[in-house]
Amino acid sequence: MKYLVMECNPGYAVLMDEESRVVRAANLHYAVGDTVTNPILMGDHAEKPQISRTVIKRLAAVAACFLILSTAGIGLYFRNRRTTESVVMLVERKRYEVALNPSGEVLQIQEENDEGKTVIESYEGQHVSLADALGAVLQDSLDQGNISEDAPVQIYLSAENKKAYDAYKAEIEQEAAKLQLKAEVQALEPPKPPVTPPEPPKEPPKDITPPEPGKATDVPEIAPPPPGNHENPPGVNPPEHETGPLPPEEKIGDPEADKPEPPEHEPAEPPAGPEEPVQPPEPPKPLPEPLKPDAEQPVLTEDAAPELPEPPEPAEPLQIDAVLPDALAAEPVPPIPLPDADA
Amino acid sequence: MNPDVQQLVSRVTIAKNDSNAANALIADYMPFIRAETAKYLKRQPEPEDDELSIAMFAFYEAICSYSRLRGAFLKYAALQIRSRLIDYYRREKRNKGQISLNTASEDDETELMDTLADPHDEYAEQEIREATKEEIRELSEQMTAFGVSMTEIAENAPKQGRTLEICKQAVQYARNHPDILEDFLRTKRVPLAKLAEGAQVERKSLERHRKYLVAVLLICTNSYEILRGHIAQVLKGGAQT
């Protein structure tokens, strides 16, 4: 291509090519009217190695694919590390919590004790199945002596739904069979509903003396639970430091023991709840003022009469409305002689 | 901002649209251009060195493409100069091994170019060159009457092939209709509507390159034979004048 020099300036020259294009180029000592070839045109940097657009497009496509794959991989990685389900298992006196990811693989096994939860085994990224983890728990208990091959092993299990419970139960029994253990898997029930008001005491109190002032109206309505059945107060979840209820001694080895209720536990510390634990009312104490005998008053028997301490001096006027009829409250009653304890 | 720097930036802004201001700015900063060239050559440049001309061209390119977002002008200009010199070096590297015709011959008294048989008539070529120069001078004067300059035409000329083809069709239509050229010379305005309708092209494309059309139509009107001969392929298919 030939270029005709149209104009010369200190910094550039104006050229016109054979296709009537008018361009600016470096003035390499040109003169107007000269015909030049291969000038250095403005904006022309053809000497630089350039990456073709095709290569750029291909690189962009590869980078996009890489970005998509890496994002998916990272998402899958963290997805498998996220705990979506926990299986709680009670083996004798120990409470284990098995954390599962969305794929059903075990992430870790925690043991609950007085100090809290302790991770005893971590299986992140190892693709361990629940059956293997349960087998490891049983083996751990066997090694620690908590269970033995001779006696049946009581295992209490909690799952999200019945289907999962049945599946886990089958896996536990299968793993226990491998270890030659006799496993009895039962469901670990959630906390019971609130306790209903207790029944009134069957035996009448021996002494009709009213309770100490300030306490007559404080008698709780809820009767104490039967001995050995320490349950959580209504609305209170058991604290984490509890080791959980153990099966009662009479249930071990008892083939008829098939109650869904959790077993009783050794006397443990009373759980801290919003309400005070139920306590039996204090025995009534004799009034300092004599009371009038009344046919309506109950007759005290000798057997039920406890040894009462000396009546203290009342600090406040006695409130006997809760115990005695209103007619007796205003009139002084002669003291009732107490029977002899030896009689 | 430093007052000197601010003044320089204002001069650069003016030089973008004024070739005279650009030439003056280049002349004022010749020491700077020489210094940058010397950094690359590792010696002081001579006036006949192509590298110095390229550095001056790079400085002009920096004036045309500079904006405040690019930072300091002199730093930007230095970068442009270095970039151009590197490009020139790569280009010359490809021609390595070729001997210049100005190289001294064996007897060290004459150049190689003098020993070669020259089939061309140097005097004839000199006359043609002078005639061409005269035509270009007349064309520049005539273009000044239309309010355009060579630099403006270079900036306004179409760069894409499709747009260039549209302008060619309009020019060929004008050459086939002398009345349009007469109106053009008389009114000193390009009849864009007639050209667009006659050549069946978009008027907006012609409007964007109006100044370029002035130069080409002028070449087609007067006795600019040498210039028309240069762009003969463009004018092919039109009436001979």
Side-chain angles (χ1 to χ4, degrees), chain A residues 76-77 79-87 98-109 122-133 168 171:
Chain A
L76 193 66
Y77 174 79
R79 174 179 174 272
N80 287 335
R81 285 177 169 264
R82 183 168 56 92
T83 302
T84 58
E85 184 182 353
S86 292
V87 177
V98 181
L100 305 175
N101 64 7
S103 302
E105 297 168 349
V106 178
L107 294 175
Q108 63 182 9
I109 300 177
S122 177
Y123 296 108
E124 284 189 6
Q126 299 183 23
H127 306 289
V128 174
S129 65
L130 181 61
D132 294 337
Y168 299 152
E171 288 185 10

Side-chain angles (χ1 to χ4, degrees), chain B residues 40-225:
Chain B
Y40 177 79
L41 293 178
K42 303 288 190 291
R43 61 174 176 84
Q44 285 297 324
E46 300 298 328
E48 58 270 16
D49 286 335
D50 288 344
E51 287 85 353
L52 184 60
S53 302
I54 291 169
M56 293 167 65
F57 179 62
F59 190 86
Y60 177 73
E61 281 186 311
I63 292 173
C64 295
S65 61
Y66 174 74
S67 69
R68 290 178 185 271
L69 297 174
R70 297 184 186 270
F73 171 74
L74 291 181
K75 279 188 178 179
Y76 176 68
L79 196 64
Q80 291 288 317
I81 290 171
R82 181 172 178 80
S83 175
R84 271 293 181 187
L85 290 174
I86 290 173
D87 288 346
Y88 178 74
Y89 170 75
R90 289 174 181 165
R91 185 175 173 176
E92 291 300 309
K93 197 177 178 182
R94 278 191 284 158
N95 299 330
K96 197 175 181 181
Q98 296 179 5
I99 301 173
S100 171
L101 290 175
N102 298 109
T103 308
S105 61
E106 294 179 354
D107 55 0
D108 292 336
E109 292 180 358
T110 58
E111 294 177 350
L112 283 176
M113 188 167 58
D114 297 334
T115 63
L116 293 174
D118 190 3
H120 300 286
D121 187 354
E122 187 174 343
Y123 294 107
E125 287 182 359
Q126 182 67 25
E127 286 183 1
I128 293 172
R129 195 178 299 118
E130 288 298 326
T132 305
K133 191 175 178 180
E134 185 62 25
E135 280 192 12
I136 293 172
R137 188 187 62 78
E138 288 181 10
L139 178 63
S140 297
E141 289 178 357
Q142 203 169 9
M143 281 165 46
T144 304
F146 280 82
V148 296
S149 66
M150 282 292 181
T151 303
E152 289 176 347
I153 292 171
E155 294 173 354
N156 190 250
K159 296 180 178 52
Q160 290 187 355
R162 190 176 68 88
T163 312
L164 188 63
E165 189 62 33
I166 291 173
C167 294
K168 281 181 186 178
Q169 293 177 13
V171 168
Q172 285 176 3
Y173 178 80
R175 288 195 72 207
N176 294 330
H177 297 80
D179 56 330
I180 293 179
L181 290 177
E182 290 176 2
D183 288 340
F184 164 68
L185 290 174
R186 179 168 49 81
T187 62
K188 289 189 175 42
R189 292 176 63 182
V190 178
L192 295 175
K194 289 184 180 179
L195 290 175
E197 184 181 354
Q200 297 181 348
V201 296
E202 293 182 3
R203 180 175 174 171
K204 285 186 179 179
S205 299
L206 299 180
E207 284 177 355
R208 281 195 292 265
H209 305 286
R210 186 186 64 83
K211 294 181 181 178
Y212 166 78
L213 288 173
V214 167
V216 178
L217 289 175
L218 283 175
I219 292 174
C220 298
T221 54
N222 292 339
S223 57
Y224 296 120
E225 294 181 1

Side-chain angles (χ1 to χ4, degrees), chain A residues 43-112:
Chain A
D44 182 15
H45 293 272
E47 306 302 328
K48 285 184 181 179
Q50 292 179 349
I51 302 175
S52 66
R53 287 191 175 183
T54 305
V55 174
I56 292 174
K57 286 181 182 178
R58 288 180 181 175
L59 287 175
V62 170
C65 290
F66 176 76
L67 185 66
I68 291 170
L69 290 174
S70 61
T71 303
I74 291 171
L76 193 66
Y77 174 79
F78 284 104
R79 174 179 174 272
N80 287 335
R81 285 177 169 264
R82 183 168 56 92
T83 302
T84 58
E85 184 182 353
S86 292
V87 177
V88 178
M89 195 166 70
L90 293 174
V91 179
E92 295 300 329
R93 299 184 180 183
K94 290 210 170 179
R95 183 186 177 97
Y96 298 91
E97 183 172 341
V98 181
L100 305 175
N101 64 7
S103 302
E105 297 168 349
V106 178
L107 294 175
Q108 63 182 9
I109 300 177
Q110 288 181 327
E111 177 187 341
E112 294 186 13

Side-chain angles (χ1 to χ4, degrees), chain A residues 157-179:
Chain A
L157 181 67
S158 74
E160 287 189 348
N161 48 50
K162 189 179 184 311
K163 182 180 178 182
Y165 169 77
D166 292 337
Y168 299 152
K169 179 179 177 182
E171 288 185 10
I172 292 173
E173 290 173 349
Q174 188 177 1
E175 291 297 320
K178 289 181 183 178
L179 297 173

Side-chain angles (χ1 to χ4, degrees), chain A residues 1-49, chain B residues 19 23 26 47-50 53-54 56-57 60-61 64 80 83-84 87-88 90-91 94 129 132-133 136 139-140 150-151 153-155 157-161 164 168 212 216 219 227 230-234:
Chain A
M1 179 73 72
K2 292 182 181 178
Y3 294 83
L4 183 62
V5 180
M6 304 293 286
E7 185 181 80
C8 289
N9 293 285
Y12 66 98
V14 178
L15 310 179
M16 185 169 67
D17 66 5
E18 292 170 325
E19 291 188 1
S20 73
R21 285 194 186 94
V22 181
V23 294
R24 285 172 289 184
N27 184 5
L28 301 177
H29 312 288
Y30 297 154
V32 176
D34 287 347
T35 301
V36 298
T37 56
N38 202 18
I40 299 175
L41 302 177
M42 177 177 275
D44 182 15
H45 293 272
E47 306 302 328
K48 285 184 181 179
Chain B
S19 59
N23 293 335
I26 291 171
E48 58 270 16
D49 286 335
D50 288 344
S53 302
I54 291 169
M56 293 167 65
F57 179 62
Y60 177 73
E61 281 186 311
C64 295
Q80 291 288 317
S83 175
R84 271 293 181 187
D87 288 346
Y88 178 74
R90 289 174 181 165
R91 185 175 173 176
R94 278 191 284 158
R129 195 178 299 118
T132 305
K133 191 175 178 180
I136 293 172
L139 178 63
S140 297
M150 282 292 181
T151 303
I153 292 171
E155 294 173 354
K159 296 180 178 52
Q160 290 187 355
L164 188 63
K168 281 181 186 178
Y212 166 78
V216 178
I219 292 174
L227 293 176
H230 180 73
I231 56 174
Q233 292 298 325
V234 175

Side-chain angles (χ1 to χ4, degrees), chain B residues 11 23-40 43-45 52 55-56 59 74 77-78 81:
Chain B
R11 287 188 68 181
N23 293 335
L25 189 59
I26 291 171
D28 291 342
Y29 280 85
M30 273 307 295
F32 169 78
I33 297 171
R34 285 180 184 276
E36 292 299 319
T37 309
K39 286 180 186 177
Y40 177 79
R43 61 174 176 84
Q44 285 297 324
L52 184 60
M56 293 167 65
F59 190 86
L74 291 181
I81 290 171

